[in-house]
């Protein structure tokens, strides 16, 4: 971890454990020059400190890229999110971070956590200030239920298509991952007139060149979860894991795992547009290959920033008796992400660099300016 530290951070790494529950977790506060550390909380059986640190840095750039005044942070618990002991482990994690939450960090939603889990964390902290992404009945803004991140991904697709000279109506799209982000992306893209030709879950994928029935997919997800691919039927072709990345489509949306697009895939990708719904799905070298091939890429910390826009609203509303208005949140997401996506693509073209480098440069300039003003960085 010491070798990962640079001029940006991390400022603080807190590793915690609990012998009784077997809880093992970590909080990484990366950079607070523009505000307190804020980022989601994930639970997987394989989460590592390095993984959480990478995600915390990504949050630093994400907040700055969309010009919202919070800093990068992320938390992770190494546990099975489907286990019966989940609540017990989450409560142990919250207790272990009582010195940091909610003054330095606020729990949120990421892989493995739901609105119900956010409610548990809020209860254990003993204050509405301790968690966001909580249910409506607790005055919260339930990101996954509303689909705010996927909505922003779809808006980014629409913005990128416009700059590529393509109409979204009739645009073909393949989506890796049909969880909260992928499903909400598909729903909004269907509303915009795009055709979803392939989707995948942990159980496999589906492909139909003439388009899948998004409404049916959404219903089956509610009933069967990842097993929706086993129940869709019709003339959709089953896909093995990873095949959804290479089906012929105008747009690819990786919305599941990190590190899925390597150099080999970048060289062969049939899509004209890549919009990163997942965090850290592509390597720097793959991004360069895509840039040289002329593939329009919307980086993850722009494309999936709908969640941070919603989180910013939820952060402000934690102590309010008035529930945030979801329609206003969607309006803000659309305006911010469309503008950021187009600015990033245009900057990439002007400077001759990848969109990741263009977006990161803009974010770094904002963070560096704040650090100088606060005496945290010297020229």
């Amino acid at each position: 971890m010491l070798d990962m530290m640079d001029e940006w951070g991390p400022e603080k790494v807190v590793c915690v454990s609990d012998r009784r529950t077997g809880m093992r977790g970590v909080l990484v506060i990366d950079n607070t020059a523009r505000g307190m550390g804020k980022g989601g909380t994930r639970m997987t059986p394989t989460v590592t400190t390095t993984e959480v640190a990478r995600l915390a840095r990504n949050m630093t750039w994400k907040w700055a890229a969309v010009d919202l005044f919070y800093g990068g942070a992320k938390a992770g618990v190494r546990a099975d999110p489907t286990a019966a002991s989940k609540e017990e482990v989450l409560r142990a994690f919250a207790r272990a971070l009582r010195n940091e939450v909610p003054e330095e960090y606020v729990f949120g939603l990421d892989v493995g956590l739901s609105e119900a889990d956010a409610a548990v964390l809020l209860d254990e902290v003993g204050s509405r200030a301790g968690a966001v992404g909580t249910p409506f009945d607790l005055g919260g803004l339930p990101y996954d239920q509303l689909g705010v991140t996927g909505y922003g991904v779809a808006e980014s697709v629409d913005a990128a298509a416009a700059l590529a000279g393509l109409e979204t109506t009739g645009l073909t799209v393949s989506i890796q991952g049909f969880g909260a982000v992928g499903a909400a992306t598909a729903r909004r893209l269907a509303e915009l007139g795009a055709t979803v030709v392939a989707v995948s879950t942990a159980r496999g994928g589906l492909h139909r060149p003439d388009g899948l029935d998004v409404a049916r997919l959404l219903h089956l997800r509610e009933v069967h979860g990842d097993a929706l691919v086993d129940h869709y039927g019709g003339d959709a072709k089953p896909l093995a894991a990873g095949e959804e990345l290479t089906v012929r489509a105008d747009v690819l949306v990786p919305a599941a795992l990190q590190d899925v697009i390597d150099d080999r895939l970048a060289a062969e990708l049939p899509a004209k547009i890549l919009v990163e719904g997942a965090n850290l799905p592509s390597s720097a070298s793959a991004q360069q290959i895509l840039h040289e091939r002329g593939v329009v890429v919307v980086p993850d910390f722009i494309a999936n920033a709908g969640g941070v826009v919603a989180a910013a609203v939820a952060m402000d509303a934690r102590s309010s008796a008035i529930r945030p208005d979801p329609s206003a949140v969607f309006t803000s997401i659309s305006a911010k992400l469309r503008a950021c996506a187009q600015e990033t693509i245009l900057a990439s073209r002007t400077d001759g660099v990848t969109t990741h480098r263009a977006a990161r440069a803009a974010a770094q300039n904002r963070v560096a300016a704040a650090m100088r003003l606060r005496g945290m960085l010297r020229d």
Side-chain angles (χ1 to χ4, degrees):
M1 178 52 66
L2 291 174
D3 291 337
M4 291 187 68
M5 294 178 177
D6 57 21
E7 68 269 33
W8 308 107
E11 297 174 4
K12 189 173 188 177
V13 180
V14 183
C15 295
V16 295
S17 64
D18 179 69
R19 182 174 300 176
R20 185 176 65 82
T21 63
M23 180 276 294
R24 288 181 290 172
V26 61
L27 166 65
V28 178
I29 298 175
D30 186 60
N31 187 295
T32 59
R34 285 169 55 92
M36 72 174 289
K38 181 70 193 82
T41 309
R42 66 173 42 192
M43 178 184 285
T44 74
T46 59
V47 74
T48 67
T49 300
T50 299
E51 173 189 348
V52 175
R54 288 179 67 197
L55 292 165
R57 175 59 52 85
N58 211 45
M59 288 302 303
T60 295
W61 305 144
K62 190 178 295 188
W63 285 113
V66 295
D67 203 19
L68 294 170
F69 286 88
Y70 286 105
K74 205 80 173 182
V77 185
R78 184 179 291 184
D80 180 357
T82 67
S85 60
K86 183 178 187 180
E87 179 175 338
E88 188 179 26
V89 169
L90 280 175
R91 288 186 181 277
F93 188 52
R95 288 194 299 272
L97 291 177
R98 58 186 176 275
N99 291 331
E100 287 75 30
V101 179
E103 287 77 15
E104 297 181 60
Y105 175 72
V106 174
F107 293 114
L109 301 183
D110 200 283
V111 176
L113 263 64
S114 67
E115 283 87 356
D117 299 318
V120 167
L121 290 164
L122 180 152
D123 181 67
E124 189 62 39
V125 173
S127 166
R128 287 178 61 198
V132 293
T134 52
F136 272 123
D137 287 344
L138 292 178
L141 197 63
Y143 312 152
D144 288 354
Q145 181 182 334
L146 292 171
V148 293
T149 302
Y151 181 89
V153 172
E155 294 291 291
S156 298
V157 170
D158 197 33
L163 282 185
L166 300 172
E167 293 286 341
T168 300
T169 301
L171 204 67
T172 56
V173 184
S174 177
I175 302 174
Q176 182 191 45
F178 209 71
V181 176
T185 301
R187 180 188 295 112
R188 179 57 177 160
L189 284 173
E191 292 172 353
L192 292 170
T195 302
V196 177
V197 297
V199 300
S200 69
T201 74
R203 293 282 291 267
L206 296 169
H207 178 218
R208 185 171 182 270
D210 291 335
L212 296 163
D213 184 338
V214 171
R216 177 166 172 73
L217 288 171
L218 294 170
H219 170 71
L220 290 173
R221 177 177 179 266
E222 288 294 318
V223 177
H224 301 290
D226 284 350
L228 69 91
V229 296
D230 301 323
H231 295 270
Y232 185 85
D235 57 352
K237 174 188 173 184
L239 296 175
E243 286 187 329
E244 72 282 356
L245 297 170
T246 57
V247 301
R248 187 157 299 281
D250 299 316
V251 181
L252 173 63
V253 178
L257 305 171
Q258 60 194 56
D259 299 320
V260 295
I261 300 177
D262 56 15
D263 292 6
R264 179 193 59 79
L265 184 59
E268 301 172 355
L269 202 70
K272 304 180 184 73
I273 299 172
L274 173 69
V275 178
E276 298 183 332
N279 288 317
L280 306 172
S282 61
S283 66
S285 56
Q287 294 157 14
Q288 184 62 39
I289 292 169
L290 292 166
H291 173 71
E292 292 170 359
R293 290 186 57 217
V295 178
V296 177
V297 179
V298 182
D300 53 347
F301 55 93
I302 299 294
N304 65 25
V308 305
V309 176
V313 175
M315 287 287 285
D316 286 347
R318 284 176 297 160
S319 60
S320 173
I322 301 174
R323 182 184 291 114
D325 178 9
S327 64
V329 174
F330 284 120
T331 299
S332 296
I333 291 171
S334 179
K336 271 199 171 292
L337 268 60
R338 284 175 176 275
C340 288
Q342 293 191 339
E343 288 167 6
T344 297
I345 294 167
L346 291 173
S348 168
R349 293 174 180 176
T350 299
D351 299 338
V353 298
T354 68
T355 49
H356 284 79
R357 289 185 62 184
R360 192 174 296 112
Q364 286 177 341
N365 287 339
R366 287 171 177 160
V367 174
M371 292 176 72
R372 291 190 185 96
L373 287 168
R374 297 180 64 170
M376 301 166 68
L377 186 68
R378 296 179 180 177
D379 291 320

